Amino acid sequence: MVIKGVLFDFSGTLFRIEPVRDWLAAVLREEEVDVPPEDFERYVTGLTEAGALPGGPAPLRVPERLADAMARRDLSAALHREAYTGLARGVALPDPGLYDALYDRHMRPEAWRPYPDAAEVLAGLRRAGIAVGVVSNIGWDLRPVFRAHGLDALVDAYVLSFEHGLQKPAEGLFRTACTLIGRDPADVVMVGDDRGADGGAAAVGCEVRFVDHLPVRERPDGLRSLGLVPD
């Protein structure tokens, strides 16, 4: 196919959230909460197993009281916060203010790292005249992350689940994205790391290609290897 447009997922595809250890350490510093090393390690393990960091490791189990919020978390900002602060509260942290502070931290640009080849691939698509959209299941506005990392000018449209009241794999999100970038779905490739959610683009006629959801240092050229940019 001749690619005329590319849609990208956000977390695990173009960007990766910082590790749980760094996330917690940053918040403890900012909130001026000192904890013994052995407690810090216990909190890291607990938050990791709870799946409390959005974009980080998945929960080992979801408490029944949070099952509905987790299932619908990307439909609204309120549900997203409820779900993830609820998971974090399963870990007994030393200050009750830390739960909201941790959630707020994950929305800040400095908590996210672009994959090493993200800027190169996005810039190559722009030079080639290929339209770019970002389609994300998310409960907050990720545009500031792209602006802070100098990538916003390389994106033509953002389609965020909480702004549309739909979650991937809903066909409506992909149709909207194709409309906003002005391309027929048959000429568009969707790139993501989740075969269930991102694979929904196939239902509207997009080709779908996948990358591995790995730490930034372990995936230096996952986007480049997809062959999206013409030679």
Side-chain angles (χ1 to χ4, degrees):
M1 70 181 290
V2 176
I3 300 173
K4 297 182 180 180
V6 180
L7 305 177
F8 290 95
D9 172 52
F10 167 57
S11 175
T13 299
L14 290 175
F15 284 82
R16 172 85 180 209
I17 191 68
E18 64 189 340
V20 173
R21 178 178 300 277
D22 297 352
W23 174 58
L24 176 61
V27 170
L28 292 175
R29 285 195 302 271
E30 291 165 2
E31 299 297 311
E32 299 182 342
V33 176
D34 293 321
V35 300
E38 61 272 20
D39 287 349
F40 178 78
E41 294 301 327
R42 180 162 48 85
Y43 299 146
V44 168
T45 298
L47 292 167
T48 300
E49 293 179 350
L53 175 57
L60 292 186
R61 57 175 290 275
V62 176
E64 186 175 348
R65 62 184 172 79
L66 293 174
D68 182 66
M70 281 297 290
R72 301 188 301 119
R73 65 189 181 275
D74 296 316
L75 294 176
S76 75
L79 281 169
H80 198 268
R81 181 180 285 271
E82 176 189 348
Y84 283 104
T85 57
L87 291 173
R89 285 189 174 93
V91 181
L93 298 178
D95 184 326
L98 290 173
Y99 300 107
D100 281 317
L102 284 166
Y103 184 84
D104 292 340
R105 163 77 187 183
H106 104 274
M107 296 185 288
R108 287 160 49 179
E110 59 266 35
W112 292 88
R113 301 287 180 271
Y115 281 93
D117 54 350
E120 173 192 334
V121 169
L122 291 174
L125 293 171
R126 176 52 53 94
R127 287 193 301 271
I130 297 172
V132 169
V134 171
V135 185
S136 178
N137 277 352
I138 198 165
W140 50 276
D141 185 3
L142 53 72
R143 295 172 183 86
V145 175
F146 281 77
R147 287 196 293 269
H149 289 277
L151 300 181
D152 181 62
L154 303 176
V155 177
D156 298 296
Y158 297 90
V159 178
L160 312 182
S161 60
F162 84 105
E163 294 181 338
H164 294 267
L166 292 172
Q167 295 181 150
K168 294 183 292 186
E171 297 177 16
L173 282 179
F174 302 110
R175 288 200 187 94
T176 297
C178 290
T179 297
L180 289 177
I181 67 172
R183 300 293 187 267
D184 188 296
D187 300 321
V188 173
V189 174
M190 173 69 204
V191 178
D193 66 294
D194 187 321
R195 280 169 165 71
D198 300 313
V204 302
C206 298
E207 181 180 323
V208 185
R209 302 181 188 179
F210 295 101
V211 290
D212 294 323
H213 189 140
L214 293 170
V216 166
R217 66 182 180 276
E218 295 178 23
R219 211 194 76 196
D221 59 357
L223 294 166
R224 188 185 306 117
S225 67
L226 296 178
L228 301 167
V229 181
D231 295 330

